Structures are given as C-alpha cells and as structure tokens.
Amino acid sequence: GNSVTQMEGPVTLSEEAFLTINCTYTATGYPSLFWYVQYPGEGLQLLLKATKADDKGSNKGFEATYRKETTSFHLEKGSVQVSDSAVYFCALITAAGGGADGLTFGKGTHLIIQP
Amino acid sequence: GAGVSQTPSNKVTEKGKYVELRCDPISGHTALYWYRQSLGQGPEFLIYFQGTGAADDSGLPNDRFFAVRPEGSVSTLKIQRTERGDSAVYLCASSWNGLAGVGEQFFGPGTRLTVL
C-alpha cells in the first residue's frame, strides 16, 4: 500500500531561518506528490505539487523536488516568516487508479516561526 | 467562485445516535472525496465518488459508515450508531478527474464531529 512519513513536530525556528521538512514515501505505482498547508483556523490548501521524477514544485518561496531514487519530497524555504506558521502535510496520490485511492497523507508537521 | 462547502461546521451528538454530514463540491467537479482527520493526524481517505457512483469505498472503517451522491453533485456522509471513536474532523474534497488525469483536490473547511 501507499504511505508517507514526515518529520515529527513541532519545528520551531526564528524568522529568516532556513527550513527543511523531510518527507519520504512508499507507493504502488507512480505517484504524484503534494505539500498541503493548514493555517490556524483555516482549511487545507495545496501549497505545491510535482507529478514526475525530478520535477520541482514551488510556491510562496517554498520548494520541493520529486526524488524517485530516494523516494523523497522534502520541503524547503530559504527564509521563513512568522506568517509561515502552520501545519504542513506531505501527501501522494497514485493516478494509475484514476485517483480512486484518494490522497495518502503524512501525520503533519507543526511549524512555529518566532519573531 | 465558491469553494467546497460543508455543513454543519460543528456537530455534537450522543453515543448511539445517527448523524448526516453534507458536502457541496465545486460546481462541475466530477470527483468527490471524503476524509477523516483525527487530532494530531493527517487526513485519512474514506470514500471516492466519480459522478454518482462510489468508485472506491475501501477507506470506510465499518458498515456503520455510508455515503451517497445521488445526482453527482452534493454528497452526504451518514454514520449510524455513533461511537466516541468516531469523533474527528470530516473533510470533503472535490476535483475534476478525467481522461487527462487526476485533478487538484480542493478541500472544504470540514465538519467537526464530537460524540459524547
């Protein structure tokens, strides 16, 4: 089956620090990979995605590269802001089934940015 | 345009009662998903509809859970004989899935279910 493992939180950083949140996966078939973000009091939002190996997804200064050889999709940002404080979820879907298996999510990483 | 909406936003019920949770997807989206998110966990897949039919209900935990989408738009998740362990946030998402592939899923705000 499919599974996603991401680093446990909470992760606490100072403003302008470099961020890495690790994510590795196992999948039957060829997955598409996603990072979703949940800001306090809000619903899940897609942050970025990559659909094939070596693709780099990017949005709002965040980046993640689809690494098939290491089955990883680590999230990075060069300089975090207080407004980046949220819970981040790594997820995958195997489109071979037409999306019928739904997204498989990691447990989430709570990021806290201190001014 | 309007996003995915879910009602009610909060539902408190007693153990053993029946509840219905409603999801209004984005207009035109063919696919609809239900997920359950327990405290401190990521969402877990429950069921997927493509049009009116349940294409995959393998995530439903047991036969107390059932979902319908009779006209291919609005969906209702139904839980019979609720148990305290059913307490969670129930999320709905919709996407446009077609021959070109699987589309981005847009999530609703969720329904927080509390079973006393």
Side-chain angles (χ1 to χ4, degrees):
Chain A
N2 300 336
S3 68
V4 174
T5 302
Q6 60 183 105
M7 62 192 292
E8 299 281 328
V11 173
T12 304
L13 296 173
S14 297
E15 206 165 20
E16 299 183 5
F18 183 86
L19 168 71
T20 300
I21 300 178
N22 289 338
C23 171
T24 58
Y25 66 89
T26 59
T28 53
Y30 201 113
S32 293
L33 304 175
F34 305 84
W35 278 98
Y36 278 82
V37 59
Q38 194 166 34
Y39 296 105
E42 297 185 18
L44 272 172
Q45 302 173 27
L46 179 65
L47 179 61
L48 55 83
K49 67 178 182 181
T51 57
K52 60 182 188 296
D54 300 324
D55 269 2
K56 177 185 285 188
S58 61
N59 186 24
K60 299 182 180 180
F62 290 89
E63 293 183 338
T65 300
Y66 189 143
R67 299 288 188 203
K68 190 165 184 277
E69 65 276 14
T70 54
T71 61
S72 66
F73 193 54
H74 305 320
L75 183 67
E76 297 181 335
K77 186 173 185 180
S79 177
V80 292
Q81 306 300 314
V82 171
S83 58
D84 294 327
S85 299
V87 182
Y88 292 80
F89 294 92
C90 186
L92 68 82
I93 195 165
T94 49
D101 51 352
L103 285 160
T104 298
F105 286 88
K107 290 188 176 182
T109 302
H110 187 192
L111 176 65
I112 301 169
I113 306 302
Q114 296 178 331
Chain B
V4 178
S5 62
Q6 294 186 245
T7 54
S9 56
N10 280 284
K11 176 71 178 177
V12 180
T13 190
E14 294 180 343
K15 180 175 177 297
K17 298 290 189 184
Y18 168 82
V19 296
E20 289 190 352
L21 311 178
R22 176 188 168 105
C23 172
D24 278 270
I26 292 171
S27 178
H29 277 188
T30 57
L32 186 146
Y33 301 82
W34 283 99
Y35 296 86
R36 178 168 72 172
Q37 186 175 17
S38 300
L39 193 63
Q41 303 293 316
E44 292 179 301
F45 168 75
L46 295 177
I47 186 169
Y48 159 66
F49 289 90
Q50 179 66 22
T52 59
D56 184 356
D57 63 358
S58 62
L60 295 177
N62 52 61
D63 61 6
R64 295 186 298 105
F65 289 74
F66 188 72
V68 295
R69 194 185 186 202
E71 297 177 358
S73 178
V74 170
S75 177
T76 305
L77 178 66
K78 308 180 181 193
I79 310 174
Q80 298 177 319
R81 305 184 304 280
T82 51
E83 299 178 357
R84 293 194 179 89
D86 299 335
S87 297
V89 176
Y90 289 80
L91 297 171
C92 176
S94 70
S95 68
W96 193 91
N97 292 355
L99 293 175
V102 176
E104 175 187 341
Q105 291 186 32
F106 293 83
F107 282 81
T111 294
R112 182 175 297 278
L113 175 66
T114 303
V115 181
L116 301 177

